[in-house]
Amino acid sequence: MNKTERIHLDKEIRQWLKGLDDIIPQLIADMHTETKANQFDLVTNVDRMIQDKFEMFLQTHYPSHQLFAEEKNNDLVDAKHGDVWIMDPIDGTANLVKQQTDYCIILSYFADGEAQLSYIYDYPHKVLYKAIKGVGAFENETPLPTVVERDIKYLILSYNIYVLNETTLKDLKEAAFSYRLIGSCGLDSVRVIKGQFGAHINTNSKPWDISAQFLFAKELGLKMTDLQGEPLDFSKAGPFIISNPGCHKAVLNILNENGGYQADFINKT
Amino acid sequence: MNKTERIHLDKEIRQWLKGLDDIIPQLIADMHTETKANQFDLVTNVDRMIQDKFEMFLQTHYPSHQLFAEEKNNDLVDAKHGDVWIMDPIDGTANLVKQQTDYCIILSYFADGEAQLSYIYDYPHKVLYKAIKGVGAFENETPLPTVVERDIKYLILSYNIYVLNETTLKDLKEAAFSYRLIGSCGLDSVRVIKGQFGAHINTNSKPWDISAQFLFAKELGLKMTDLQGEPLDFSKAGPFIISNPGCHKAVLNILNENGGYQADFINKT
């Protein structure tokens, strides 16, 4: 896929995403919630309907493209070959249910395993972040600058306090400027992408939680790896960090000190 | 002061606050930062200029009114008598400096020690929350409903992880649905006011951090006390909670178990 084709496809996808503005308010008005793996793992009709609508869009306009998404079975998807879309129809479902804000739609397009287009749509604030391979990253069509490299002591870190052990939490707190948590992997990552946070860590990410972040990281010079500093497989995901290049090593060192970061609490999100 | 007078004064104050929309962008473009008590305690020209502007407004239109505010000496202010305005010109200064979002202006008016008008202006999102004694609480002039009473296990809690000991942090995490932190006492409180969070705790609040919250709590049926459950003195502030009535007792029990909540870390915000 060449640059002209990517720019053409981007226009179509943005149009599709903006079309959600007309249907999400009614979906939220009729919202009903179910639990999945446990009481903290939620899904709503909003998640399901957005994903169904995108699946229909692909079937109509790009019938050969595959969809790899949170609210479906992906066993038959070959994520690394052909045209593949990865979607989290609602990232931060707990925030949607409890707060009616701080959730987003994550969508990305891979051709033969290579990220071409990425979107994080902050629907409650109507801000669309996108990245196009070889073109750059944008906030509502305004180019985003590359982030300034900074030491961990000047940076805010973001992570789930439920899944790190007490020693790691203490060391991260002491090393960083401060701590914040939005509670949506996509939106916490956006803060890193914009240089507002130094790093976001997710110890149990799924492909749809982080699919868009790869291209933003590449276009803006951020670090995005597993928690040993190794490259991530976008089709598998797992423990993940997106980070300002100036604090990546320091954060990973803390996570891997003293026998590792993992706590054995229940995994709340 | 009667209801008609409050409604008249509210109109003037809203006009003054909206006037800030014209000056804040330039103040931020020219932003310079200084530290106060320590490297985590920041002040900028934005804080100072907003407070100076309000002081001038009072001198011109209400010369007998006193101002009790973060970036000035308040030794001569008698907060419990006469007409007193309490202001935090920027609440969440660290967020302003590091993130250019998630900060607010907190302003409230007390007559002979009784809250009459309260404002929390989420300037980055241009949302003004206000409460008028005997009239109600509003988000951009739309009335806010009273919050639904809920158990702690369904609620998100918000607190500074730097100032609570490890046992208390663990117990709060286990009892609540989840945890989030915006890092601005005013905006974390707004989430409680809107029923998005169950409670926000600040173990070291100053009068300007919480002055507006009293009237919102009163008008909407929220609990707002010190951490023993006793009434707060608005002129002194200190350890504070604003809470959904359904989880107030449960949160305070956890904070006061096992010898209390206090950690002896450095106080980052």
Side-chain angles (χ1 to χ4, degrees), chain A residues 25-83:
Chain A
Q26 191 57 47
L27 290 175
I28 290 175
D30 301 335
M31 187 158 71
H32 48 270
T33 306
E34 290 163 44
T35 56
K36 295 195 288 186
N38 60 54
Q39 69 190 104
F40 307 107
D41 189 10
L42 306 176
V43 63
T44 75
N45 57 310
V46 187
D47 309 55
R48 291 213 172 97
M49 186 61 83
I50 291 172
Q51 181 178 305
D52 287 351
K53 284 211 166 274
F54 190 68
E55 198 159 21
M56 280 190 287
F57 168 83
L58 286 185
Q59 277 164 8
T60 307
H61 299 282
Y62 299 95
S64 69
H65 288 206
Q66 302 175 88
L67 178 61
F68 189 104
E70 180 165 20
E71 312 304 341
K72 71 187 274 284
N73 184 310
N74 299 295
D75 290 351
L76 297 177
V77 178
D78 177 5
K80 292 190 176 162
H81 296 97
D83 300 294

Side-chain angles (χ1 to χ4, degrees), chain B residues 42-155:
Chain B
L42 307 176
V43 64
T44 75
N45 57 310
V46 187
D47 309 54
R48 291 213 171 95
M49 187 60 83
I50 292 172
Q51 181 178 306
D52 287 353
K53 285 213 165 270
F54 189 69
E55 197 159 23
M56 281 191 287
F57 169 83
L58 287 184
Q59 278 163 9
T60 308
H61 299 282
Y62 300 94
S64 69
H65 289 206
Q66 302 175 86
L67 178 62
F68 189 103
E70 178 164 21
E71 311 303 341
K72 71 186 275 285
N73 184 310
N74 299 297
D75 290 350
L76 296 177
V77 178
D78 177 4
K80 293 193 175 161
H81 297 96
D83 300 293
V84 178
W85 293 84
I86 305 185
M87 178 181 235
D88 192 345
I90 295 290
D91 173 69
T93 303
N95 281 343
L96 167 62
V97 172
K98 301 287 180 184
Q99 302 205 67
Q100 298 80 53
T101 192
D102 289 348
Y103 58 90
C104 62
I105 294 143
I106 303 179
L107 181 63
S108 55
Y109 168 57
F110 290 75
D112 289 327
E114 198 180 357
Q116 307 286 327
L117 298 172
S118 283
Y119 302 88
I120 299 177
Y121 185 27
D122 177 351
Y123 169 80
H125 298 110
K126 305 285 186 297
V127 181
L128 178 60
Y129 300 92
K130 74 169 187 187
I132 305 178
K133 182 192 157 197
V135 177
F138 303 82
E139 173 178 348
N140 279 344
E141 301 306 298
T142 301
L144 287 168
T146 54
V147 302
V148 180
E149 193 167 329
R150 288 209 193 287
D151 187 89
I152 189 171
K153 72 180 169 192
Y154 301 113
L155 295 171

Side-chain angles (χ1 to χ4, degrees), chain A residues 191-209:
Chain A
R191 298 277 171 127
V192 180
I193 287 163
K194 294 177 71 178
Q196 298 169 307
F197 291 173
H200 174 61
I201 302 158
N202 181 335
T203 61
N204 186 30
S205 78
K206 306 294 180 220
W208 41 83
D209 295 322

Side-chain angles (χ1 to χ4, degrees), chain A:
Chain A
M1 172 169 260
N2 65 36
K3 202 194 261 190
T4 311
E5 289 169 319
R6 283 195 291 274
I7 289 171
H8 175 79
L9 186 52
D10 164 58
K11 208 172 156 185
E12 276 193 72
I13 297 302
R14 280 189 284 128
Q15 205 167 2
W16 185 84
L17 286 166
K18 290 311 284 180
L20 293 176
D21 294 3
D22 299 328
I23 65 159
I24 291 180
Q26 191 57 47
L27 290 175
I28 290 175
D30 301 335
M31 187 158 71
H32 48 270
T33 306
E34 290 163 44
T35 56
K36 295 195 288 186
N38 60 54
Q39 69 190 104
F40 307 107
D41 189 10
L42 306 176
V43 63
T44 75
N45 57 310
V46 187
D47 309 55
R48 291 213 172 97
M49 186 61 83
I50 291 172
Q51 181 178 305
D52 287 351
K53 284 211 166 274
F54 190 68
E55 198 159 21
M56 280 190 287
F57 168 83
L58 286 185
Q59 277 164 8
T60 307
H61 299 282
Y62 299 95
S64 69
H65 288 206
Q66 302 175 88
L67 178 61
F68 189 104
E70 180 165 20
E71 312 304 341
K72 71 187 274 284
N73 184 310
N74 299 295
D75 290 351
L76 297 177
V77 178
D78 177 5
K80 292 190 176 162
H81 296 97
D83 300 294
V84 177
W85 294 84
I86 305 185
M87 177 181 235
D88 192 345
I90 294 290
D91 174 69
T93 303
N95 281 342
L96 167 62
V97 173
K98 301 287 181 184
Q99 303 204 66
Q100 297 80 53
T101 193
D102 289 349
Y103 58 90
C104 64
I105 294 143
I106 304 179
L107 180 63
S108 55
Y109 168 57
F110 290 76
D112 289 327
E114 199 180 357
Q116 307 286 328
L117 298 172
S118 283
Y119 301 89
I120 299 177
Y121 185 28
D122 178 352
Y123 169 79
H125 298 109
K126 304 284 186 296
V127 182
L128 178 61
Y129 301 93
K130 73 169 189 189
I132 304 178
K133 182 191 158 198
V135 177
F138 302 82
E139 173 178 349
N140 279 344
E141 301 305 297
T142 302
L144 287 167
T146 54
V147 302
V148 180
E149 192 166 331
R150 289 211 193 286
D151 188 90
I152 188 171
K153 72 181 171 194
Y154 300 112
L155 295 171
I156 292 169
L157 304 184
S158 146
Y159 42 84
N160 181 347
I161 57 171
Y162 285 98
V163 297
L164 300 178
N165 71 45
E166 300 302 323
T167 310
T168 303
L169 287 174
K170 198 170 172 176
D171 292 345
L172 286 173
K173 286 196 290 188
E174 280 174 14
F177 178 83
S178 198
Y179 171 86
R180 303 283 185 270
L181 184 68
I182 299 170
S184 146
C185 186
L187 294 180
D188 282 285
S189 298
V190 160
R191 298 277 171 127
V192 180
I193 287 163
K194 294 177 71 178
Q196 298 169 307
F197 291 173
H200 174 61
I201 302 158
N202 181 335
T203 61
N204 186 30
S205 78
K206 306 294 180 220
W208 41 83
D209 295 322
I210 65 169
S211 72
Q213 285 88 319
F214 288 95
L215 198 50
F216 284 98
K218 192 174 168 192
E219 294 293 327
L220 296 173
L222 296 161
K223 296 271 188 186
M224 179 164 163
T225 66
D226 72 12
L227 300 184
Q228 271 67 48
E230 298 299 321
L232 282 156
D233 180 339
F234 75 91
S235 71
K236 296 200 174 76
F240 133 96
I241 180 170
I242 184 166
S243 170
N244 183 299
C247 74
H248 181 251
K249 210 170 173 179
V251 173
L252 292 190
N253 283 347
I254 292 170
L255 290 174
N256 291 299
E257 267 165 13
N258 302 316
Y261 54 84
Q262 207 88 42
D264 50 1
F265 300 149
I266 182 164
N267 187 347
K268 299 188 185 184
T269 53

